[in-house]
Amino acid sequence: MNDREHDAEFAKLLEETRRLPRSIEPPRDLWPDIAARIGRPPLWQRWSALAAAAVVLLVVGWRVLGARHPGWEVTRVDGAPRIGRTALVGGGTGTLRVGEAIVTDDSSRAEVQVGVIGRVEVLPGSELRLVAARPDAHRLALARGTIYAEVTAPPRLFVVETPSATAVDLGCAYTLAVDSTGASRLHVTAGYVELQGSGRRSIVPLGAIAVTRRGGGGPGTPYVDDAPAELRRALTAFDFERGGAAAVRTVLRTARAEDAVTLWHLVSRVEPPLRAAVYDRLVALVPPPTGEGGGTSRAAALALDTTTLDRYWQRIRRIQWRREILKGIREIDPRTGLAK
Amino acid sequence: MPDLTELVRRAQHGDEGAFRDLYREHVGRIYALCLRLTGDAAAAEERTQDAFIRAWERLRTFRGESAFATWLHRLAVNVVLMERRGSGRRERRVAPASDDPVYEQAATPPAVPPGEGLDLEQAIAALPAGAREVFVLFDVEGYSHEEIARMCGIAVGTSKAQLFRARRLLREMLER
């Protein structure tokens, strides 16, 4: 068979791949096993009872155990991560207790079980300290390096501090990196994260990024991960380099409907003289919810009325969510969130 | 049978019968996905069960912003990927873009007698885990590299490299 025949046959193979049956019945009925496992009420119905039990256990536990430190299980993934001076080798596991740090070198990785609410992967070159491990507060501090976190708890139970900001989980998965200067970069891959610092906050949704610099006055303005390079540079100038009005004008010029997350944050961050320009550009790209575009609502938005801005945010948030979740499945109109 | 929306609503209120009907409606699609992602019939059964149990537990978070089938499908992909990431088989996880000899060795091309066509399902199952996952998600299920990267926790470039690797291995099987 010559090359051309091979190519043709391979193309045919790929075509056959796309025509593979979408449905295959399992060789046996799986339902009885599933039914046995879901015989209990679903997790959300057990939540109240679990929460109540957890509170009781917490109170009793603290009284009985006194000063004993709780901890989370750590599993070595690669290399020889350390907890304090103890290296985890082989198939090693250990316990990370409050006040202790796990440290990975250039070839080490580890996984931390965050109580019962999630897990954190500690990538090479990281130092991660356990600050609090209570049912109502799961708090870590990332001094340097990179972590990947997946959390399934209700919002605000899982928090990661960095030298320049604090990431508050709102039910999500994300990658958080801290470099040697203490600057951080947050990339959200599911749900939402609130980034706080210096009295400012950024809400970073699925598919968006926010950076923060030490002493930079709080978290930077979030942007979607496919934002134009020129817009990103202008945001950096605005957030950290005193770029002022010129930087904002560049953002407005380069922004697409997909960048509504950025513009929404800018509405409340720019100086009052620029606010109308930012808001009008946002409205032009992504129309506000019905009834929000009138003069009164515009005035309310420009006065930074919380309810008005929050309603607008819910619309932008939903569009961004649909855009990300349906990427490659359906083409979504970034102005409306509806399938084209 | 009531329509899917009604079944979902009832299941969200704890109606196990409604959930069983949803299972019957979707199990073939989910099993096919799990079978191709794992390359192993026994593992596919387990992951299919896990996916439906997870779906039952998280039904309340389904808000109808996408089709239930889409939500369930995505959830099943996550179940399979999470299980592999957490199962200690990380040495076979998607490698950084460079070639990984161990990774290549994991591929055991099926023996195809001369003159006989390649069994595509068998060939996909024989791919290394990371390459198989990307191949199935991209070429069979139609996800984009960006989505795959997010779901697998890898870079977009790595996803593309794994797809290239999977196709190359399939081509090699074809040429045997």
Side-chain angles (χ1 to χ4, degrees), chain B residues 3-176:
Chain B
D3 68 13
L4 282 179
T5 307
E6 174 62 13
L7 286 177
V8 170
R9 190 193 64 75
R10 281 167 43 199
Q12 284 179 317
H13 286 82
D15 183 340
E16 198 176 305
F19 188 67
R20 184 191 57 231
D21 290 342
L22 288 171
Y23 161 83
R24 302 275 182 229
E25 187 72 20
H26 294 92
V27 64
R29 182 85 175 81
I30 298 302
Y31 178 74
L33 172 73
C34 293
L35 182 62
R36 289 177 184 134
L37 282 176
T38 62
D40 180 271
E45 286 188 16
E46 286 180 23
R47 295 296 83 75
T48 301
Q49 292 178 21
D50 292 345
F52 278 99
I53 288 159
R54 181 82 63 87
W56 172 254
E57 291 179 343
R58 301 184 66 174
L59 257 179
R60 202 171 70 159
T61 67
F62 174 68
R63 301 189 190 285
E65 291 171 300
S66 62
F68 177 74
T70 306
W71 178 80
L72 181 63
H73 190 271
R74 179 69 67 126
L75 186 145
V77 170
N78 285 335
V79 164
V80 174
L81 298 179
M82 287 286 287
E83 200 288 329
R84 191 166 79 84
R85 293 179 81 174
S87 68
R89 283 177 280 167
R90 290 176 177 80
E91 66 275 14
R92 289 176 55 186
R93 199 173 155 178
V94 178
S98 62
D99 277 349
D100 179 349
V102 173
Y103 197 81
E104 290 294 318
Q105 287 164 11
T108 311
V112 182
E116 289 189 23
L118 180 67
D119 182 326
L120 193 49
E121 298 280 16
Q122 190 186 358
I124 294 171
L127 290 170
R132 181 176 61 243
E133 287 166 2
V134 172
F135 180 82
V136 169
L137 292 174
F138 188 92
D139 273 335
V140 181
E141 300 295 338
Y143 285 97
S144 68
H145 281 300
E146 288 75 14
E147 288 176 298
I148 295 168
R150 272 197 297 278
M151 291 189 288
C152 297
I154 59 177
V156 170
T158 306
S159 175
K160 290 177 180 174
Q162 291 290 14
L163 180 65
F164 176 80
R165 187 190 303 261
R167 288 177 171 177
R168 177 170 59 77
L169 288 169
L170 283 176
R171 182 189 288 266
E172 286 171 7
M173 294 178 203
L174 187 69
E175 290 170 353
R176 278 162 58 93

Side-chain angles (χ1 to χ4, degrees), chain A residues 40-243:
Chain A
R40 296 174 298 166
L43 191 60
W44 52 268
Q45 284 186 357
R46 283 179 268 146
W47 181 252
S48 301
L50 285 172
V55 169
V56 170
L57 281 175
L58 181 69
V59 172
V60 172
W62 277 113
R63 288 189 177 174
V64 171
L65 299 177
R68 188 178 291 184
H69 292 261
W72 292 342
E73 184 178 288
V74 179
T75 306
R76 169 193 168 274
V77 176
D78 279 320
R82 289 184 293 110
I83 298 175
R85 292 182 177 179
T86 307
L88 301 177
V89 291
T93 60
T95 302
L96 181 66
R97 300 193 183 282
V98 172
E100 291 181 329
I102 179 161
V103 179
T104 56
D105 61 19
D106 288 347
S107 58
S108 299
R109 289 194 302 170
E111 184 171 303
V112 181
Q113 286 301 319
V114 182
V116 295
I117 65 167
R119 66 183 195 91
V120 169
E121 222 174 300
V122 187
L123 301 185
S126 304
E127 181 178 341
L128 182 70
R129 186 173 301 279
L130 179 55
V131 177
R134 303 191 309 271
D136 62 342
H138 304 71
R139 184 174 280 261
L140 292 162
L142 179 63
R144 60 183 167 85
T146 306
I147 60 169
Y148 171 72
E150 284 182 351
V151 176
T152 56
R156 303 188 183 281
L157 275 187
F158 178 67
V159 175
V160 180
E161 300 168 0
T162 75
S164 52
T166 300
V168 181
D169 167 80
L170 301 179
C172 60
Y174 62 84
T175 300
L176 180 62
V178 174
D179 68 16
S180 58
T181 69
S184 65
R185 182 181 190 274
L186 171 75
H187 186 192
V188 177
T189 50
Y192 307 89
V193 177
E194 185 177 290
L195 209 51
Q196 306 170 342
S198 301
R200 175 184 275 189
R201 68 168 190 149
S202 292
I203 307 172
V204 190
L206 163 67
I209 293 167
V211 295
T212 305
R213 291 188 185 175
R214 209 171 195 165
T221 310
Y223 54 87
V224 292
D225 51 19
D226 60 351
E230 194 176 358
L231 181 143
R232 297 184 192 205
R233 284 195 295 273
L235 274 184
T236 301
F238 173 74
D239 287 327
F240 307 116
E241 297 165 2
R242 300 178 186 276

Side-chain angles (χ1 to χ4, degrees), chain A residues 258 318-334 337-340, chain B residues 64-71 74 141-144 147 150:
Chain A
E258 291 88 337
R318 186 166 181 276
I319 292 172
Q320 170 66 9
W321 183 82
R322 283 179 61 82
R323 195 171 79 86
E324 287 294 321
I325 213 77
L326 294 174
K327 201 174 268 183
I329 300 172
R330 284 185 187 161
E331 195 176 357
I332 298 299
D333 183 346
L338 301 175
K340 284 184 177 174
Chain B
E65 291 171 300
S66 62
F68 177 74
T70 306
W71 178 80
R74 179 69 67 126
E141 300 295 338
Y143 285 97
S144 68
E147 288 176 298
R150 272 197 297 278

Side-chain angles (χ1 to χ4, degrees), chain A residues 230-282:
Chain A
E230 194 176 358
L231 181 143
R232 297 184 192 205
R233 284 195 295 273
L235 274 184
T236 301
F238 173 74
D239 287 327
F240 307 116
E241 297 165 2
R242 300 178 186 276
V248 173
R249 278 193 285 272
T250 302
V251 171
L252 299 185
R253 178 171 53 77
T254 54
R256 314 153 301 161
E258 291 88 337
D259 301 309
V261 167
T262 297
L263 295 186
W264 182 87
H265 278 83
L266 280 180
V267 167
S268 58
R269 293 181 175 209
V270 298
E271 296 296 325
L274 269 175
R275 189 166 295 147
V278 174
Y279 181 77
D280 291 343
R281 179 66 174 146
L282 175 60

